[in-house]
Amino acid sequence: LHSTNAKCAYCDGNNKGDLKIVAGFFPDFVRRDYFWEHRGCHFYGFGDIVKESYDFLVIDLGVLSENHAPYLQKAAISILCAKTKPWELLALNEKKSLVLPGKSDLLYLFGSQANQRQLELAAGDTFKAIHFAQYAPDLWDGKGNADVFRKIFGMTIMETASPEAKDKKKKKRLFNGKK
């Protein structure tokens, strides 16, 4: 989302201190007054207070529980991410009743292309759409799964040619009618 010029932030939903661990691997992932920052994108740890407004606020709920149902119902876009090991699929099957039918997208992570049809059938008709992420070794390149996210955010993000751009291939993104 950030690579599309949206003002966005990520909120970590657990208190394991994952953002501190990430900062240990990426020197340009730095702590500011009340958030972490990397390449202009803001990251909030568990308990940090969001003090700014954003085009997109990504909330990582962690392992889905009954407590998360209200957030899923209120979100304009919700994406349930699932891994594809047999025990993870069992957990998905147990928790998918928390999702309003047709409201959320399902994004499978680390799934085999050979098993995609089986994974679609396993998900049933609970989800608005089912997507498959590709392995992306670089967390920050913004390209690895761009097409998947364009599909998910399709009606929210409208791409238009920038009038001031000399190169018409350059794009501006409009979010819900705002620049």
Side-chain angles (χ1 to χ4, degrees):
L1 290 172
H2 179 69
S3 66
T4 64
N5 297 323
K7 187 173 180 187
C8 59
Y10 168 89
C11 298
D12 198 0
N14 68 59
N15 59 0
K16 295 179 188 174
D18 295 339
L19 297 178
K20 286 182 184 178
I21 294 168
V22 170
F25 288 95
F26 299 96
D28 53 346
F29 194 99
V30 297
R31 180 72 181 172
R32 302 288 184 216
D33 289 338
Y34 52 92
F35 58 85
W36 295 85
E37 185 174 14
H38 184 266
R39 297 184 184 173
C41 187
H42 297 173
F43 296 81
Y44 292 87
F46 186 80
D48 287 343
I49 297 172
V50 177
K51 296 181 179 181
E52 298 184 27
S53 63
Y54 296 93
D55 295 317
F56 292 95
L57 186 60
V58 177
I59 303 170
D60 183 344
L61 298 175
V63 176
L64 195 60
S65 75
E66 290 78 15
N67 296 336
H68 299 128
Y71 297 106
L72 294 172
Q73 293 169 5
K74 290 180 183 178
I77 297 173
S78 63
I79 305 167
L80 187 65
C81 297
K83 295 179 186 169
T84 58
K85 292 180 180 147
W87 56 90
E88 294 164 334
L89 292 174
L90 286 172
L92 170 65
N93 197 43
E94 291 172 7
K95 302 291 185 172
K96 69 183 181 183
S97 64
L98 298 172
V99 177
L100 291 175
K103 173 115 171 71
S104 297
D105 286 88
L106 174 63
L107 177 60
Y108 278 118
L109 308 171
F110 312 119
S112 163
Q113 287 187 333
N115 296 338
Q116 284 187 359
R117 184 67 188 137
Q118 292 170 323
L119 293 170
E120 289 171 347
L121 292 172
D125 60 358
T126 302
F127 300 96
K128 181 170 52 177
I130 300 170
H131 311 275
F132 296 88
Q134 302 297 316
Y135 172 71
D138 183 348
L139 296 175
W140 315 111
D141 73 1
K143 298 172 193 160
N145 289 295
D147 289 340
V148 170
F149 289 104
R150 278 193 185 94
K151 288 177 188 173
I152 293 171
F153 295 109
M155 294 306 291
T156 305
I157 300 175
M158 181 179 73
E159 296 184 59
T160 60
S162 171
E164 67 273 359
K166 293 176 185 170
D167 179 0
K168 292 297 180 186
K169 292 181 183 178
K170 290 185 180 178
K171 304 275 185 174
K172 266 194 178 176
R173 304 298 203 272
L174 301 177
F175 301 90
N176 296 326
K178 300 186 306 183
K179 283 187 183 178

